[in-house]
Amino acid sequence: MKIAVVGGDGIGVEVINEGLRVMKHLTPEAQIEKFDLGADRYLRDGTTMPSEIMERWRNEFDAIYLGALGDPRVPSNVHAKDILLGARFQLDLFINLRPITLLDERRCPLKNKDCDDVNFIVFRENTEGLYTGIGGQFKRGTPDEVAIEQEMNTRKGVERIIRAAFTYADKHGRKKVCMADKANAMRHGHDLWQRVFKIVAAEYPNIEASHLYVDVLSMEMVRCPERFEVIVTNNLFGDIVTDLGAILQGGIGLAGSGNINPNGVSLFEPVHGSAPDIVGKGIANPLAAILSLGMMYTHLGRPELEKKIFKAVQDTLLADQVTPELGGTLSTTEVTDAILVRLSSDVST
Ligand code: ATP
């Protein structure tokens, strides 16, 4: 197991350090190489993402473990764009995988919902849509300014993310896949999604395929999350509805994610950002980073390690051994200590 590690900025560095403690405990044999990338590096020497590092990630590593990128000292966020979007596009990490799993029902903001009710996974397209940067500005800064952002949907790109969702459902005994778009208003690109969805769904007669416009999906995720098992959607909508999902599962500090290329190296990161408001205070919740590590283990063929992490995180939540944003009093390091105690006793039994 050879893992490239980038703490990045702000609390990204803090939570990845905790994830590494868990990694050392569970897989001491893993080879870790840390990369000095992020706002500090950019401000020091202007480097954002050297192409030779991207090539090394592509050729030499089994996975990339990333914290967060974003720093108020770099208002353009150019380094974050080059590193994270650069990796997504250049390493073709076309699946953004976001499990929405409630581990402690007291943390769900919805009334009368338990852990079985909030348990689905979102496949967000990660390389196309509105996030390619295609577009332009005209008469910038004048009252007549025009700004155009183009949404790109390719047949191949749409098909592979929809197929990934069905393949996952099939493999994991999930019975339903719901596709969300806005085809009633976006008649070209999302018509393509509709047609491709029907074609791929027909190959999986045992899986119930349904469609919702994304606005209805948002309402339904709140009203009746239990109706979802697998959701597939485009880049922008996926970005938004998975943040809604993060709140349903108890908060952004509990949301892990994978950026996956099934045929190449993949990247795992907590969903939250660098949180400049709490950096250096020792109160960042490390659980999202630790859950992302679990996802990485499953991806690398060690699902039993993700199960252990999952159980340890759940027990830690149930015991209220949490950081202040979840109402607890523990520090970042103390939460990891609690996880490690559980993992140790788990190993010995
Ligand atoms: P970005 O712009 O990349 O989304 P951000 O840090 O501004 O980054 P979020 O990550 O969405 O935005 O975080 C919003 C707020 O939630 C943070 O400012 C912080 O107060 C809180 N937060 C986020 N992650 C954590 C965490 N792991 N532990 C505790 N609080 C967190």
Side-chain angles (χ1 to χ4, degrees), residues 16 25 30 76 95-96 123 144 184 199 209 270 281 322 342 346:
I16 288 300
H25 177 83
S76 69
I95 303 168
N96 192 308
F123 281 69
D144 297 326
N184 50 348
I199 291 167
K281 295 184 178 164
V322 291
R342 292 198 160 79
D346 188 31

Side-chain angles (χ1 to χ4, degrees), residues 11 15 69 252-253 271-278 283-286 323 325:
I11 66 163
V15 297
L69 294 159
I252 197 122
V271 164
H272 62 76
S274 58
D277 52 328
I278 56 165
I283 55 167
N285 184 350
T323 40
E325 102 285 3

Side-chain angles (χ1 to χ4, degrees), residues 125-263:
E125 203 294 320
N126 212 24
T127 51
E128 305 193 339
L130 264 166
Y131 287 18
T132 62
I134 299 175
Q137 295 181 339
F138 181 52
K139 299 188 182 179
R140 186 188 156 100
T142 76
D144 297 326
E145 178 162 355
V146 179
I148 294 177
E149 205 80 51
Q150 304 253 10
E151 190 184 90
M152 185 178 92
N153 298 278
T154 68
R155 165 73 196 234
K156 279 184 193 155
V158 172
E159 183 168 340
R160 67 183 181 175
I161 188 70
I162 291 176
R163 193 173 292 287
F166 276 98
T167 308
Y168 174 91
D170 197 33
K171 196 169 155 200
H172 292 85
R174 302 272 188 153
K175 296 277 173 239
K176 298 193 240 177
V177 175
C178 176
M179 191 272 280
D181 62 24
K182 192 66 187 158
N184 50 348
M186 302 175 75
R187 295 186 175 276
H188 307 295
H190 295 195
D191 172 64
L192 175 65
W193 278 78
Q194 295 257 330
R195 283 181 286 120
V196 173
F197 185 65
K198 285 190 186 112
I199 291 167
V200 178
E203 295 172 26
Y204 295 87
N206 297 328
I207 296 173
E208 184 191 317
S210 64
H211 165 261
L212 289 176
Y213 295 125
V214 70
D215 36 6
V216 181
L217 171 74
S218 310
M219 291 193 283
E220 286 298 287
M221 278 174 62
V222 173
R223 192 187 68 83
C224 189
E226 59 272 26
R227 67 177 280 193
F228 299 109
E229 294 190 6
V230 177
I231 293 172
V232 58
T233 191
N234 67 31
N235 207 338
L236 173 71
F237 296 163
D239 192 2
I240 298 168
V241 300
T242 53
D243 269 18
L244 172 56
I247 295 304
L248 298 184
Q249 72 189 117
I252 197 122
L254 296 173
S257 78
N259 295 257
I260 311 244
N261 175 346
N263 306 309

Side-chain angles (χ1 to χ4, degrees), residues 35-181:
F35 288 85
D36 174 21
L37 297 169
D40 281 346
R41 172 84 188 268
Y42 174 66
L43 291 169
R44 202 167 65 239
D45 65 13
T47 300
T48 58
M49 183 69 214
S51 54
E52 48 296 357
I53 291 185
M54 196 70 87
E55 282 316 301
R56 288 198 57 215
W57 286 359
R58 188 197 307 279
N59 298 319
E60 295 175 27
F61 289 88
D62 295 310
I64 304 156
Y65 189 40
L66 177 89
L69 294 159
D71 188 304
R73 294 170 301 165
V74 187
S76 69
N77 239 3
V78 58
H79 67 299
K81 197 168 140 283
D82 284 2
I83 299 167
L84 187 56
L85 292 186
R88 285 180 181 170
F89 291 130
Q90 290 171 44
L91 302 176
D92 207 18
L93 309 174
F94 69 89
I95 303 168
N96 192 308
L97 195 60
R98 300 265 297 255
I100 310 293
T101 313
L102 180 63
L103 293 174
D104 172 1
E105 66 183 48
R106 297 171 305 160
R107 319 247 166 222
C108 182
L110 305 179
K111 262 190 292 180
N112 304 325
K113 300 291 177 193
D114 61 28
C115 294
D116 290 336
D117 293 326
V118 182
N119 182 13
F120 56 93
I121 188 157
V122 181
F123 281 69
R124 162 187 167 194
E125 203 294 320
N126 212 24
T127 51
E128 305 193 339
L130 264 166
Y131 287 18
T132 62
I134 299 175
Q137 295 181 339
F138 181 52
K139 299 188 182 179
R140 186 188 156 100
T142 76
D144 297 326
E145 178 162 355
V146 179
I148 294 177
E149 205 80 51
Q150 304 253 10
E151 190 184 90
M152 185 178 92
N153 298 278
T154 68
R155 165 73 196 234
K156 279 184 193 155
V158 172
E159 183 168 340
R160 67 183 181 175
I161 188 70
I162 291 176
R163 193 173 292 287
F166 276 98
T167 308
Y168 174 91
D170 197 33
K171 196 169 155 200
H172 292 85
R174 302 272 188 153
K175 296 277 173 239
K176 298 193 240 177
V177 175
C178 176
M179 191 272 280
D181 62 24

